Amino acid sequence: MIVEKRSLNWLPRASISDEMDAAREKRRAYLQADLASAANYNSALISTNTSTTDSVNLTMSIAVSRLRNGTTKKV
């Protein structure tokens, strides 16, 4: 009977420094994607808030002009 050493990991592994560099780049890419996503959410929130504020200002100006003119909305 012949005893042979067999291993499933027959491909050479990258060096520890190469693995650390790859992990660092992966984290950096994830953080950049996360920051971009947060910036998109922030701009969407500001845009929605601004459009809501504009519509409220428009409604208030219409109501003030009706009060000044003494007119009411017809139902």
Side-chain angles (χ1 to χ4, degrees):
M1 177 177 186
I2 300 174
V3 177
E4 294 180 20
K5 180 180 181 230
R6 293 186 181 233
S7 174
L8 294 177
N9 296 327
W10 55 273
L11 291 175
R13 287 188 60 173
S15 68
I16 297 296
S17 63
D18 289 342
E19 288 182 6
M20 289 173 54
D21 290 341
R24 189 178 305 115
E25 289 299 321
K26 193 174 184 179
R27 280 193 309 274
R28 183 176 291 135
Y30 173 77
L31 289 174
Q32 287 176 348
D34 190 40
L35 287 174
S37 174
N40 287 338
Y41 291 146
N42 192 20
S43 65
L45 181 64
I46 290 172
S47 155
T48 302
N49 193 11
T50 303
S51 65
T52 303
T53 304
D54 291 343
S55 66
V56 168
N57 287 340
L58 178 63
T59 304
M60 291 301 289
S61 66
I62 292 171
V64 167
S65 67
R66 286 184 181 158
L67 287 173
R68 286 184 182 157
N69 294 334
T71 60
T72 57
K73 183 179 178 183
K74 295 182 180 178
V75 178

